[in-house]
Amino acid sequence: MSQIRHDPVAKTGTQYREGGDVIDRHRHDDHQLIYVSSGVLAIGTEHGSWVAANDRAVWVPANTWHEHRFHGQSRFHTIGFPAGGPAPLPDAGTPTVIAVDALLRELLIALTGATLTPSETRHIHAVLRDRLRRVEAQPVSLPAARDQRLKDACRLVEDDLRHPRTLAWLANRVHTGERTLSRLFRDEFGMTYPQWRTRTRVFAAMVLLAEDASVTDTAHACGWATTSAFVDTFAHMTGTTPGAYRSSAQRAKEG
């Protein structure tokens, strides 16, 4: 594991990032809410991984190491919350993905701007806290493996999503039994291997669509036999179709 940088204060502000930019592992003494109003952000922590576009934000609790990779030109907003104060989310002790509606989006963008007076900042911050108490959690995430055999198996799948690797093939490659590997998926991730692989493919698809890949090319790159099967799975997991997701990401870039 690379060294974890310690930045005590989680700053509130906006950054502009190019596709491929990386912010290495670091942690804050403060809580942090992270949002991209354009582009796509992949966030990794010791708890798991998330993909966030302009319809989601990620809550990162104090002292949780996290790292970022940007896909496409991105406008990146961060808001810090003192760890000693009242947290705005009910379950503030673990990383959480939340839905971002039109009002919350405007609050996040306004609060991270550079022209607010101290009085305006306090007022918007208060409204943001009220709004965060009403948000809906979006639990689509990829948990992080602890067992080395499971880590190795996951990496083999992630490195080649086009080919549907069987559990038996993976178990052989990581030198363990098929039943043992199946148990590791259930025990550590709370899901079966096919369920985990589907979620991994959808995450990869979100990144490709945000980078303007076509729906058909994305389906093939992520291992779906047909575009219609991809559309059905993606819509079931995310609540929107790949085409609508792609269009929303492109509008956000243009905005």
Side-chain angles (χ1 to χ4, degrees):
M1 179 182 291
S2 61
Q3 185 175 2
I4 299 171
R5 178 166 43 88
H6 179 212
D7 292 338
V9 178
K11 297 179 181 178
T12 295
T14 298
Q15 300 178 34
Y16 292 86
R17 292 280 182 165
E18 296 295 323
D21 281 359
V22 173
I23 299 177
D24 60 6
R25 293 171 193 241
H26 62 285
R27 64 178 180 87
H28 309 291
D29 296 338
D30 300 330
H31 304 306
Q32 190 174 50
L33 187 62
I34 298 169
Y35 176 61
V36 284
S37 57
S38 63
V40 169
L41 175 64
I43 300 175
T45 76
E46 66 260 46
H47 300 278
S49 302
W50 292 263
V51 174
N54 68 342
D55 61 344
R56 291 183 177 132
V58 181
W59 171 264
V60 179
N63 294 310
T64 300
W65 72 253
H66 49 291
E67 58 189 355
H68 311 309
R69 178 178 293 275
F70 297 88
H71 299 273
Q73 291 187 337
S74 302
R75 188 162 56 149
F76 174 57
H77 309 270
T78 57
I79 299 173
F81 295 84
L89 294 178
D91 187 15
T94 57
T96 305
V97 177
I98 61 172
V100 174
D101 60 15
L103 175 56
L104 185 54
R105 168 186 163 85
E106 294 307 318
L107 290 170
L108 293 170
I109 292 173
L111 189 57
T112 55
T115 60
L116 295 179
T117 66
S119 176
E120 289 172 332
T121 298
R122 286 193 298 273
H123 286 309
I124 295 177
H125 216 289
V127 176
L128 175 64
R129 282 180 172 273
D130 287 341
R131 190 65 184 173
L132 287 174
R133 296 189 184 100
R134 299 170 176 263
V135 297
E136 177 185 354
Q138 297 284 339
V140 180
S141 63
L142 282 179
R146 298 185 300 273
D147 188 283
Q148 189 61 51
R149 293 165 295 179
L150 185 57
K151 288 182 183 179
D152 292 343
C154 291
R155 189 175 302 112
L156 287 169
V157 174
E158 291 164 346
D159 287 347
D160 187 9
L161 291 175
R162 289 179 180 268
H163 295 92
R165 304 300 188 188
T166 66
L167 190 65
W169 184 88
L170 289 173
N172 181 63
R173 291 294 299 270
V174 301
H175 310 293
T176 192
E178 184 176 351
R179 291 179 63 182
T180 298
L181 188 58
S182 177
R183 176 181 54 78
L184 288 170
F185 273 101
R186 292 194 307 271
D187 290 350
E188 292 204 17
F189 294 165
M191 65 185 86
T192 65
Y193 165 59
Q195 289 170 331
W196 172 85
R197 182 173 180 271
T198 296
R199 187 172 293 196
T200 299
R201 293 156 73 202
V202 168
F203 267 50
M206 292 170 70
V207 170
L208 290 174
L209 291 168
E211 292 179 335
D212 207 20
S214 72
V215 173
T216 298
D217 287 347
T218 299
H220 292 160
C222 297
W224 273 275
T226 66
T227 302
S228 60
F230 167 53
V231 171
D232 288 345
T233 303
F234 189 95
H236 176 73
M237 283 195 63
T238 67
T240 188
T241 65
Y245 180 90
R246 180 175 179 269
S247 295
S248 177
Q250 297 313 306
R251 286 196 301 271
K253 288 180 183 179
E254 294 166 2

